[in-house]
Amino acid sequence: MFSGLPAPIPDEHIHSVLARLNTLEGIGDFRNTINAFISSDGQLNNKYCWRSNYEELWEVFDGILSRNQLLAKHTPFYFDSKFLPVALVERIGAKPLFEQKCFKGLKNIKFSHVWRWCPKCVIEDVEREGSRFWHVIHQIPTLLRCPEHKVALEYSCLCGEYKLNKLTKFQLPPKDNICPVCSQLMSFNKIGLEDEQHWLESLTMSLMCLPPASQIESIKAKLRYALNLPASKERLSRHNRQKLKEYQDVLEYLALDGPYAEYFLFESYNHSNPIAPYCINLSLLIYSDACYPPLSYIAALRIFYKQAEVEKILLGEAYGL
C-alpha cells in the first residue's frame, strides 16, 4: 500500500488502482473512495485521452514510482501521443498537467466510452495477481480482441442490463466472468481477424511500445501530399475541394461499410448526409487544430498509403523503417 492505494499492477490502468482498492477493502459506495483521492470526475470513463485525476492519483506514488511508469504502463498515453500536438506531448512528458484533454468526435468511436475486459485475462489475473483489474491495452479502441488470448474484448452482457461505461456502479470486470445482474456465465468468444484488422492490432501493439512522440504534423503533411493540397485551408482551390469531396466518400466507405466499420459507431449517419461527422471529416482531419481520434487518422492514411507506409509514418526510425 502507498498512502492507502495498492501498488499498480503492470498494465493496470491508473483508474483501476482506485477501483481495486474499493473492491478489496469492501468500502461500498465507490464515490466515497473517489472523493477521498481525487477532486473531480465522479464518473470514471474512457472518454478523455488525458485527465487531471491521473496526476492526483500518481502523486501518491511520487518519489517511489517514476513518472514514465505512469505514462508507459498505466495510461494509454504512449499510444495516444502519436496523434496529439507536439507541445502537448512534451508538456505531459515533462511534468504534471492538471487539465482534461479529449479527442473531438469521440462519440462515433465504438469502444471509446466503455471499459473492456478479456474473460481469460480475468481468470489469469486472479490466479497471478490475486485480483481482477482493468488492463490499459484492452481500452485502446483500435483493438477488437485481447492480443494475448485472441478472444473478443467484452464490455456488456447479452441481458442488456450490464454495460461498463463508467466505474461508479461496477468497479472491476465481473467476478468469475459471471454477470452481476443476470448471474449468467459470459462465454469466451474467440475471434479471427481480417487482414486489415490483424494489421491494425499489430500496429497498435507497436505504438504502445514506442516512447511518446507526436507524429500529427507528419500525418497531416502526408495527407496533404497525397491529395496535392496547399498548407492552409484558405488556399484551397475549387479543384482541391472537389478532390477532398471525392476522397471524403472513400473515407466514409471505410468507416461505414469497409474494414473499419467494426471500430466506428454511426447510429444516425449515412452517406446521404451533407456534412460528415467530425471523426471522419477529411478536411477537419487535415486542417483543424483540434485533436481527433487516432483511428480516424489511421483510416484516412490507409486511403492513400500501404500498410508498411503507414507504419513508417507512425513508427519511423525507431522501428528501422
Side-chain angles (χ1 to χ4, degrees):
M1 286 281 190
F2 295 86
S3 300
L5 278 181
I9 299 167
D11 192 45
E12 182 179 22
H13 196 289
I14 187 63
H15 285 168
S16 176
V17 178
L18 196 60
R20 188 159 50 89
L21 169 68
N22 192 80
T23 302
L24 292 174
E25 297 293 321
I27 296 173
D29 192 337
F30 189 34
R31 287 168 293 189
N32 294 331
T33 303
I34 293 171
N35 293 333
F37 285 91
I38 57 180
S39 59
S40 61
D41 299 329
Q43 296 181 357
L44 302 184
N45 53 48
N46 274 324
K47 293 193 295 183
Y48 292 81
C49 58
W50 191 259
R51 284 182 176 271
S52 60
N53 66 31
Y54 291 172
E55 305 288 6
E56 292 177 274
L57 290 169
W58 202 250
E59 283 181 338
V60 174
F61 309 109
D62 187 40
I64 303 170
L65 301 177
S66 71
R67 178 168 185 76
N68 189 61
Q69 285 177 272
L70 166 67
L71 303 180
K73 302 297 184 183
H74 306 293
T75 71
F77 181 66
Y78 266 41
F79 177 82
D80 290 335
S81 69
K82 283 69 178 182
F83 307 90
L84 294 171
V86 174
L88 179 59
V89 173
E90 292 178 348
R91 174 69 177 80
I92 292 174
K95 56 184 178 180
L97 178 65
F98 291 92
E99 296 178 20
Q100 314 282 63
K101 298 296 180 181
C102 183
F103 290 117
K104 200 168 185 178
L106 210 58
K107 70 177 183 178
N108 296 121
I109 305 300
K110 187 173 182 180
F111 304 116
S112 65
H113 293 263
V114 292
W115 288 88
R116 297 190 291 166
W117 75 90
C118 163
K120 288 196 173 183
C121 281
V122 168
I123 296 172
E124 292 183 2
D125 291 342
V126 172
E127 294 175 348
R128 182 171 55 243
E129 305 292 347
S131 175
R132 298 162 282 147
F133 64 91
W134 298 108
H135 288 253
V136 170
I137 192 63
H138 294 163
Q139 314 316 319
I140 306 298
T142 49
L143 294 180
L144 296 177
R145 64 182 187 178
C146 172
E148 181 179 353
H149 297 111
K150 316 304 181 190
V151 299
L153 293 171
E154 304 291 348
Y155 60 89
S156 63
C157 177
L158 292 175
C159 71
E161 299 298 321
Y162 179 67
K163 182 176 181 179
L164 269 296
N165 53 13
K166 56 186 178 182
L167 300 183
T168 48
K169 189 173 183 180
F170 302 105
Q171 283 79 62
L172 295 177
K175 185 178 181 181
D176 300 321
N177 289 306
I178 294 176
C179 175
V181 176
C182 71
S183 300
Q184 295 299 308
L185 178 67
M186 298 182 185
S187 59
F188 300 173
N189 297 306
K190 195 161 188 175
I191 59 173
L193 300 178
E194 301 294 333
D195 175 71
E196 187 73 10
Q197 296 169 339
H198 192 276
W199 170 78
L200 187 55
E201 179 183 279
S202 177
L203 176 67
T204 299
M205 300 304 292
S206 296
L207 289 171
M208 281 293 288
C209 294
L210 190 66
S214 172
Q215 302 294 347
I216 192 62
E217 292 306 319
S218 177
I219 293 169
K220 291 183 177 184
K222 288 294 185 181
L223 290 173
R224 291 196 304 270
Y225 176 80
L227 286 161
N228 194 25
L229 299 178
S232 66
K233 187 176 181 180
E234 290 71 26
R235 295 172 58 190
L236 286 172
S237 66
R238 180 180 297 180
H239 174 72
N240 293 148
R241 295 180 187 278
Q242 180 58 38
K243 203 164 187 180
L244 267 173
K245 174 64 173 64
E246 292 172 5
Y247 283 98
Q248 175 64 48
D249 293 341
V250 179
L251 181 56
E252 291 182 26
Y253 162 74
L254 289 178
L256 273 72
D257 308 305
Y260 286 81
E262 289 192 57
Y263 303 90
F264 287 90
L265 181 64
F266 300 100
E267 295 180 345
S268 58
Y269 180 77
N270 56 56
H271 297 290
S272 64
N273 291 46
I275 301 177
Y278 290 145
C279 68
I280 56 168
N281 187 309
L282 192 54
S283 178
L284 290 178
L285 294 179
I286 295 172
Y287 289 113
S288 175
D289 291 332
C291 301
Y292 293 94
L295 190 60
S296 303
Y297 287 108
I298 295 172
L301 287 170
R302 285 291 288 126
I303 298 174
F304 310 103
Y305 297 99
K306 297 177 181 179
Q307 293 174 351
E309 292 173 325
V310 174
E311 290 174 16
K312 185 174 182 179
I313 295 169
L314 297 178
L315 303 175
E317 295 179 2
Y319 273 67
L321 299 174

